[in-house]
Amino acid sequence: MIRDEKTGMLYLCATPIGNLEDVTLRVLRILKEADVVAAEDTRQSIKLLNHYEIKTPLVSYHEHNKYEKTPVLVQRMLKGETIALVTDAGTPAISDPGEDLVRACYEAGIPVTSLPGPAAVITALTLSGMPARRFTFEGFLPVDKKERKEVLDRLAKTTCTTIFYEAPHRLKKTLALFCELLGENHRIAICKELTKKHETALHFTLGEAVAYYEANEPKGEFVLVLEGKSAEDMNRAKQEKWQEMPLPKHMKIYEDKGLSRKEAMKAVAKDRGVSKREIYAKLLEDE
């Protein structure tokens, strides 16, 4: 991180996702020293600043004004000011417009640094009990039908843990969608009120989750942690897809590649998860 003394700087400051004690000493120092704090919602951020008696001026920077405010903030930094960027809760640029400001800073030659701290996605993952070696964060399920289909297509095929954010008014619909896609026995952890007094991490199958929230109206913001498909599930799905194809057509795929009838039967049997004898008997039956 090289800084020109004449140019300001952008600090990405991770703030508490619930418990106000979950803030680093470094973040508090930067919030005090910055020329301005750019906040997703000034009404939320003022609570943190007041709690720690920080008097730095606040300006709003959110999804609906980012195109207007980004060049303004960039110009302020080019004139030597330092800006601390905060989101409502957690780490800036995670499901908020912070990434746009970061990109604009790099394009303008303004140095950027990230002050690590809370993130709901990581907190929920560690609470979920799901495998954490490989995971995908999808944020909120897209409203656009094409984008949503792309996300769901990935979800249906992945073997790694996948994490979503969801609002209470969409939770039941989203859970029903996941249940239809992945099956009612697929495991999910549903987390809310993270780091707060009434923090919960509920562990269900998708079928159980759908039933639970039909009986209990969702309240609060949710983090959904979905189990990845097992290798056995993926293999079973491939076999079922092959089994939907007429056997003669399946055989022809391999015979057109130059395999003998015997070799083709072996390959088809492997695709379908059955014995070569079963394929042979079926072919005789169809003749």
Side-chain angles (χ1 to χ4, degrees):
M1 179 177 61
I2 301 173
R3 182 180 176 187
D4 184 335
E5 291 298 326
K6 296 179 181 179
T7 303
M9 186 166 179
L10 178 66
Y11 290 90
L12 306 176
C13 297
T15 54
I17 59 176
N19 192 315
L20 289 179
E21 294 179 2
D22 294 332
V23 63
T24 69
L25 295 175
R26 186 181 176 206
V27 165
L28 292 176
R29 176 175 62 82
I30 294 300
L31 290 177
K32 290 177 182 177
E33 294 177 357
D35 293 292
V36 66
V37 175
E40 184 179 10
D41 186 338
T42 56
R43 296 167 300 180
Q44 291 296 322
S45 297
I46 194 64
K47 297 174 186 177
L48 176 68
L49 268 59
N50 286 342
H51 183 79
Y52 287 102
E53 300 181 350
I54 297 171
K55 307 301 183 183
T56 308
L58 277 167
V59 296
S60 67
Y61 182 77
H62 50 72
E63 186 65 32
H64 303 294
N65 72 2
K66 65 182 182 181
Y67 297 112
E68 170 194 347
K69 287 292 186 72
T70 294
V72 173
L73 295 177
V74 167
Q75 283 302 313
R76 292 183 68 163
M77 286 182 278
L78 286 173
K79 291 178 181 178
E81 292 190 15
T82 58
I83 293 178
L85 181 68
V86 298
T87 182
D88 280 357
T91 302
I94 304 296
S95 289
D96 82 356
E99 61 187 274
D100 298 277
L101 185 56
V102 170
R103 186 163 50 249
C105 284
Y106 284 133
E107 290 171 356
I110 297 167
V112 180
T113 192
S114 183
L115 281 56
V121 55
I122 299 300
T123 304
L125 175 63
T126 56
L127 276 176
S128 71
M130 302 290 182
R133 188 178 69 85
R134 292 177 60 244
F135 66 92
T136 300
F137 174 58
E138 291 285 0
F140 289 93
L141 198 60
V143 175
D144 180 82
K145 289 183 179 180
K146 184 179 179 182
E147 291 182 16
R148 183 166 67 244
K149 184 179 183 305
E150 290 173 355
V151 171
L152 293 175
D153 285 345
R154 286 197 298 271
L155 181 62
K157 298 171 186 174
T158 188
T159 56
C160 70
T161 301
T162 306
I163 306 163
F164 291 88
Y165 289 162
E166 194 50 282
H169 64 279
R170 290 195 299 263
L171 180 67
K172 290 193 281 189
K173 184 176 180 181
T174 297
L175 290 175
L177 189 62
F178 289 161
C179 191
E180 181 181 351
L181 179 72
L182 301 171
E184 61 180 20
N185 293 321
H186 199 91
R187 291 197 308 145
I188 185 172
I190 301 179
C191 305
K192 72 169 192 170
E193 300 295 312
L194 292 172
T195 75
K196 298 179 182 178
K197 182 178 180 180
H198 300 293
E199 173 183 278
T200 58
L202 303 176
H203 299 80
F204 299 113
T205 64
L206 280 169
E208 291 169 343
V210 168
Y212 180 85
Y213 286 105
E214 283 299 327
N216 300 274
E217 194 62 27
K219 294 180 181 179
E221 299 297 320
F222 293 86
V223 185
L224 313 178
V225 187
L226 283 156
E227 176 185 46
K229 282 197 167 184
S230 67
E232 291 79 9
D233 287 340
M234 297 290 284
N235 191 46
R236 191 180 306 112
K238 287 180 183 178
Q239 291 172 352
E240 289 173 356
K241 193 166 184 179
W242 279 118
Q243 288 166 10
E244 292 172 4
M245 181 182 291
L247 186 54
K249 184 177 179 180
H250 196 169
M251 286 287 294
K252 190 173 185 301
I253 290 173
Y254 289 107
E255 289 174 335
D256 286 349
K257 291 180 180 180
L259 271 66
S260 68
R261 188 167 177 79
K262 184 177 180 181
E263 290 171 331
M265 282 193 290
K266 184 177 180 181
V268 167
K270 183 178 180 182
D271 286 345
R272 293 178 176 238
V274 298
S275 68
K276 189 172 72 171
R277 180 178 298 179
E278 187 174 332
I279 297 298
Y280 179 69
K282 181 64 176 172
L283 287 171
L284 285 179
E285 182 183 311
D286 292 342
E287 288 179 355

